[in-house]
Amino acid sequence: MKKKTILELAAPAVVASSALAASLRLFDYAFKRVDYIPETSADKQKYATAYYHYVDWYKQIPKEKWVLHPDDLENRLVANFIPAPKPSKQTVIISHGYKGDGETMANYAQLFYNLGYNVLLPDDRSHGESAGDYINFGWLDRLDYLEWLNKIIVKLGTDSVIVLYGASMGGATVEMMSGEKLPPQVKALIADSGYSSIEAELSYLLRKQFHLPKYPFVPLVSMINKRRLGYYLSDVESTSQLSKNHLPILFIHGDKDVYVPHSMAFRNYDATQGPRELWIVKGASHVESFWLDPVRYQNHVAHFLTKYLVTN
């Protein structure tokens, strides 16, 4: 009887220890830096030839390397700047997706280049050439992008016209930037396949990919993140940031997205306070909208921007 009581008392501690160990593994799996670009999902392998065509263009196009905090090895950030084909005051900052880098956004870079924009392609913290050990899913990146904005304005002038564009994690980064005090040069935002909150996104993926419940894993991962990066996952909400936004914003999302469900696009759309448009692309999986019809995608983006920007 006494032995059974000891086992019963020990059981919760064993379960808690196992849950914590599993949460530590989940945190490392999802948040730890990797120094390679993971292979794209199977549904987008058919676009590989077209993708590498854009990458070849990106590698050949003249560009400048910009650096923030060059002497601080722990906070050094790198971006590549592609001047417009003709001198222009219009610049787009393109925010890349999870475990990507600026180069992986080559197709969007060419899109905006063709529209006459200068293009800035940062590598976010813990991605590409930028420093960092853990991915922050846009929450700290949004503050870094404020520094990139200031660098653009210093380099190109106070009469700059700036657009923020992002896809997937980059889309959420743009959405989270929207709640900050942005310089008046920022005129419009475009977010493709951004999540409404990292807590909701992690809970969704845990259930879908690993068949695990939100509790106790998400709260434990959140506690680990607080110790490693200084904030709880509940702090990372696109919707709360969008509720402070008054700039025009275009949301793009595929209705077949099983990575970031398109219901999140409706939550983000409902949250924002600025002029807004929502384009749900039929048949598109996660960040597939461009690849289904690049010309249509470019035309849709251009049409949105002509409403709010003065071309030069």
Side-chain angles (χ1 to χ4, degrees):
M1 186 70 177
K2 185 177 180 181
K3 185 177 180 180
K4 182 179 179 182
T5 302
I6 292 172
L7 291 174
E8 288 175 344
L9 289 172
V14 171
V15 171
S17 177
S18 299
L20 179 59
S23 298
L24 284 164
R25 289 195 296 272
L26 283 168
F27 179 85
D28 282 345
Y29 174 82
F31 290 75
K32 197 169 185 178
R33 177 192 186 111
V34 294
D35 288 312
Y36 62 90
I37 305 298
E39 191 174 75
T40 190
S41 56
D43 64 305
K44 287 191 280 296
Q45 292 289 343
K46 57 182 175 288
Y47 304 116
T49 299
Y51 169 75
Y52 285 109
H53 173 77
Y54 289 110
V55 170
D56 289 342
W57 170 86
Y58 172 82
K59 289 180 176 179
Q60 294 169 16
I61 198 78
K63 63 181 75 67
E64 305 167 11
K65 182 173 288 188
W66 289 11
V67 181
L68 294 175
H69 318 299
D71 300 322
D72 184 350
L73 295 181
E74 293 186 357
N75 294 292
R76 184 176 183 269
L77 299 172
V78 176
N80 280 290
F81 177 79
I82 301 173
K86 296 180 180 179
S88 175
K89 289 294 184 178
Q90 294 184 169
T91 302
V92 61
I93 303 182
I94 296 179
S95 181
H96 65 74
Y98 177 64
K99 295 184 178 178
D101 60 15
E103 182 181 297
T104 61
M105 305 299 280
N107 55 312
Y108 303 107
Q110 190 184 93
L111 182 159
F112 283 97
Y113 181 86
N114 289 342
L115 292 176
Y117 283 76
N118 305 300
V119 180
L120 185 67
L121 295 144
D123 289 350
D124 291 350
R125 296 187 191 198
S126 304
H127 293 82
E129 294 186 65
S130 292
D133 296 323
Y134 296 104
I135 297 167
N136 66 85
F137 289 89
W139 188 240
L140 301 179
D141 297 320
R142 84 194 195 284
L143 303 178
D144 298 330
Y145 277 69
L146 297 179
E147 294 190 67
W148 289 123
L149 285 171
N150 290 333
K151 196 169 182 73
I152 289 172
I153 295 165
V154 169
K155 291 274 189 178
L156 301 179
T158 56
D159 55 347
S160 295
V161 173
I162 302 173
V163 174
L164 306 179
Y165 174 92
S168 190
M169 185 182 79
T173 302
V174 167
E175 291 161 354
M176 287 185 272
M177 284 182 70
S178 74
E180 301 303 312
K181 186 176 181 181
L182 299 175
Q185 289 81 4
V186 179
K187 303 299 183 183
L189 320 172
I190 302 174
D192 186 333
S193 308
Y195 40 78
S196 55
S197 79
I198 190 56
E199 198 171 61
E201 174 65 6
L202 183 59
S203 300
Y204 169 81
L205 291 176
L206 274 178
R207 183 176 67 254
K208 186 166 186 65
Q209 294 187 357
F210 300 102
H211 309 291
L212 293 173
K214 177 178 179 178
Y215 298 100
F217 299 106
V218 172
L220 287 171
V221 169
S222 183
M223 290 175 61
I224 297 165
N225 194 76
K226 174 67 172 176
R227 290 183 62 86
R228 301 279 174 86
L229 292 174
Y231 59 89
Y232 293 109
L233 297 186
S234 57
D235 296 331
V236 187
E237 288 190 339
S238 297
T239 48
S240 61
Q241 290 290 96
L242 285 163
S243 69
K244 297 178 277 186
N245 172 58
H246 293 279
L247 289 171
I249 183 165
L250 169 63
F251 299 99
I252 304 170
H253 218 110
D255 72 344
K256 301 299 183 185
D257 194 335
V258 296
Y259 189 75
V260 178
H262 73 284
S263 58
M264 290 191 176
F266 290 99
R267 290 179 211 160
N268 290 332
Y269 177 85
D270 289 339
T272 191
Q273 300 302 301
R276 57 192 177 176
E277 294 185 17
L278 174 61
W279 181 26
I280 299 296
V281 181
K282 292 184 177 180
S285 63
H286 186 61
V287 202
E288 192 186 16
S289 300
F290 172 91
W291 299 104
L292 284 180
D293 192 336
V295 173
R296 183 187 180 205
Y297 193 98
Q298 178 170 312
N299 290 341
H300 207 106
V301 167
H303 179 72
F304 169 76
L305 292 175
T306 55
K307 294 182 181 181
Y308 303 106
L309 275 68
V310 177
T311 57
N312 60 349

